[in-house]
Amino acid sequence: AAAAAAAAAAERAKESKESNHDDAKDSTINDPPPNEAGCFFTRDDLALALGVKARHVESIIGRNSIGDVFVSLTSVASLTLATPNSGLIRFITKGGRGLVVTAKGGSVLGDDSLPVDFSLRFFAPNLGIDEDHVTGSAFVGLGPYWQTRLKKKNGEEMVAHQCGKRGGVVRVAVVKKKGIRGALDETKVMTRGFAVSVLKGEILCDGFDAEE
């Protein structure tokens, strides 16, 4: 089934190559959803890849400059119950890193009092990672999208939850600054959260000759 779906997606990509040539550039999700530009697959393909119903795939947000594909589902329930097919995800994200799947809202197990603005999961079989537990770059990539969609103010913090088997909570804020004296406007995505230290080390500089 996976091979058949991949073949069907490839055929659709071949048929639409000419009409989509100008839209095949990487898009960033700092901008409004790019009307699924640059994507050669459909909601049906994503539904198969994630093991969900096609009606649960809300939108294909786009693809960023490091090759992550971003997709929104209709509910957190669909997100948590998704059963990814690594072979199909590898095909959909070919040439890139992985698939970021998100949904509005959510909850943290054992902490019902913590409001969650958006949830996500990250699948990267191209990197040998079927599912990552907490992916900083995914939170950063989704920040501008959810800031716009949730109508958050500049610098207002959002609570995000990566809801895999282990998962984690990260607070995300998007800060936009106007350029001064002709400089370009600047957008920064700030993240913070708790982590467990698993490794400590020191780098010793002694013994190296200084460069001339």
Side-chain angles (χ1 to χ4, degrees), residues 46 50 69-73 78-79 82 89 99-103 119-123 142 163:
L46 284 164
L50 294 171
V69 174
F70 291 79
V71 176
S72 175
L73 299 187
S78 298
L79 179 64
I89 291 175
L99 178 64
V100 181
V101 189
T102 188
S119 301
L120 66 125
R121 295 173 70 182
F122 180 66
F123 310 106
L142 284 169
C163 53

Side-chain angles (χ1 to χ4, degrees), residues 26-195:
D26 286 344
S27 58
T28 69
I29 60 170
N30 291 342
D31 302 318
N35 299 320
E36 306 182 7
C39 299
F40 59 87
F41 47 84
T42 67
R43 287 177 172 80
D44 290 334
D45 299 326
L46 284 164
L48 283 173
L50 294 171
V52 300
K53 303 264 186 203
R55 67 175 182 271
H56 294 156
V57 180
E58 184 176 55
S59 65
I60 301 171
I61 300 169
R63 184 170 181 151
N64 67 8
S65 59
I66 58 175
D68 288 337
V69 174
F70 291 79
V71 176
S72 175
L73 299 187
T74 56
S75 69
V76 173
S78 298
L79 179 64
T80 55
L81 293 174
T83 53
N85 181 310
S86 293
L88 278 176
I89 291 175
R90 190 178 292 111
F91 175 77
I92 285 172
T93 60
K94 63 182 180 180
R97 290 198 328 165
L99 178 64
V100 181
V101 189
T102 188
K104 182 180 178 180
S107 61
V108 179
L109 185 64
D111 192 350
D112 295 333
S113 63
L114 180 65
V116 175
D117 292 295
F118 66 91
S119 301
L120 66 125
R121 295 173 70 182
F122 180 66
F123 310 106
N126 291 340
L127 303 179
I129 303 171
D130 288 337
E131 181 169 5
D132 195 28
H133 299 294
V134 182
T135 314
S137 60
F139 288 97
V140 171
L142 284 169
Y145 170 76
W146 282 112
Q147 183 199 42
T148 299
R149 183 167 168 184
L150 299 175
K151 299 180 180 178
K152 295 290 184 178
K153 297 177 182 178
N154 187 31
E156 185 177 358
E157 200 167 65
M158 298 173 282
V159 177
H161 179 222
Q162 191 154 342
C163 53
K165 289 183 179 179
R166 193 168 73 196
V169 175
V170 174
R171 286 164 170 77
V172 183
V174 181
V175 179
K176 298 178 180 179
K177 293 182 179 180
K178 286 287 187 182
I180 300 175
R181 297 173 183 171
L184 295 175
D185 293 348
E186 184 179 66
T187 299
K188 287 186 177 181
V189 181
M190 317 295 288
T191 61
R192 68 185 182 95
F194 294 100

